[in-house]
Amino acid sequence: ALPRLRPEGGDKQLSEIVDELRTSKAAMLKRGTLREHSERTFRIVSERVVETFGDTLARDLTLAEVKSWLGELELAPRTIKNYLNCLSEIMRYAVDREYTAENVLDRLTHGDRKELCGNDGEKEPEILTPSEAERLLNAALEHPELDLLGAITLGLFCGLRTEELKKLKWADVRMNEGFVTVGSSVAKKRRIRNVSLCPTATKWLTCCQDRKEQLTRSNSFSDYHKRFTKLLKLAGFTEKFKDDEGKERERVIWKKNSMRHSFGTYHFALHGDSIKTSNELGHKQGDGVLFAHYRALATKKQAEAYFGIVPPANANKVVKFAS
């Protein structure tokens, strides 16, 4: 009983442990070994954990308390899963620092997790049609001031993640050699890889006017998002709706991760090789993640249309005049 009642690391409240983790992650962010998105997400999600369990000692947290808390959250399954993952990370850290003898969340069964988090992973991924992808590319081509054509091209035809696109440099895009290098400072969880450049991607990349430094500028956390939202409006990814006062308004509609999901779907439909597609996407093992989260149904004909989207004949001569 002594290791449980008197942990070697001493008694620590969860709020104190979260502070330690935040300090550690801030240092990692400064050194460049942690993504800005990861650090920011932990800060936001851990705040909700602190609100509920901040005064609780790590050694006193019970599984019943955790299950009751998560069960009462009226949030989307994905969000609940994020809270559970955050609390799990906090408790693993507590075990490593010997603030508690065990991580009570290790006793959560598969059934417990399914009951708490639902089946959000079973939803079929949403993808773009070839015509929607073409609209997006043409809008990026016609508005070079947004500096997004390179990012859109590699998102659609290489399946790169948004955070990877924001960090990639033009030096990593080796058009003459036919691949893009996603290095350790760019890849998620440092899973470095070379991603093939299809001829269609190369054609669109040659239309980019400035290929010197970053693939796309990202001056702040929201900079890319603001420019991408503007591009979606220009490309017609909007819908009309009426607000609470009955006034007609317009909002952007976008399918989350749809560029990456589209690439995974159409690449597999075109080549019929799930392992090859998974490797291009940077998945760690096999094709399980591809079939669970990244692939919708598509025919080879649709895939050929998708990878057959080419720039207009005068694309390299497009000049954007000031309005």
Side-chain angles (χ1 to χ4, degrees), residues 97-116:
R97 294 295 185 273
E98 297 185 305
Y99 300 146
T100 180
E102 70 161 340
N103 178 1
V104 295
L105 298 182
D106 287 343
R107 289 191 266 122
L108 273 176
T109 67
H110 176 73
D112 290 333
R113 293 179 181 276
K114 190 172 182 179
E115 179 182 349
L116 292 169

Side-chain angles (χ1 to χ4, degrees), residues 124-190:
E124 182 174 303
E126 294 184 291
I127 64 173
L128 300 171
T129 65
S131 61
E132 287 175 329
E134 187 170 18
R135 276 167 40 204
L136 191 63
L137 284 162
N138 284 330
L141 175 65
E142 293 166 8
H143 294 274
E145 73 278 5
L146 295 178
D147 191 27
L148 285 171
L149 181 57
I152 298 301
T153 298
L154 297 186
L156 290 172
F157 299 122
C158 294
L160 269 62
R161 300 175 177 90
T162 299
E163 290 303 311
E164 293 172 341
L165 295 171
K166 288 161 66 174
K167 293 183 178 182
L168 207 68
K169 296 181 179 179
W170 276 108
D172 301 319
V173 184
R174 307 185 182 190
M175 287 190 279
N176 292 335
E177 299 169 79
F179 64 88
V180 178
T181 297
V182 184
S184 59
S185 63
V186 175
K188 182 178 180 180
K189 296 182 180 179
R190 306 300 180 260

Side-chain angles (χ1 to χ4, degrees), residues 59-76:
R59 65 177 173 85
D60 290 340
L61 184 69
T62 68
L63 189 59
E65 289 175 330
V66 175
K67 291 172 69 174
S68 176
W69 171 56
L70 294 173
E72 292 173 1
L73 294 176
E74 296 182 356
L75 299 169

Side-chain angles (χ1 to χ4, degrees), residues 83-93 103 105 113:
Y83 285 129
L84 176 58
N85 290 341
C86 178
L87 184 54
S88 294
E89 181 181 1
I90 294 167
M91 291 305 295
R92 286 195 301 271
Y93 178 88
N103 178 1
L105 298 182
R113 293 179 181 276

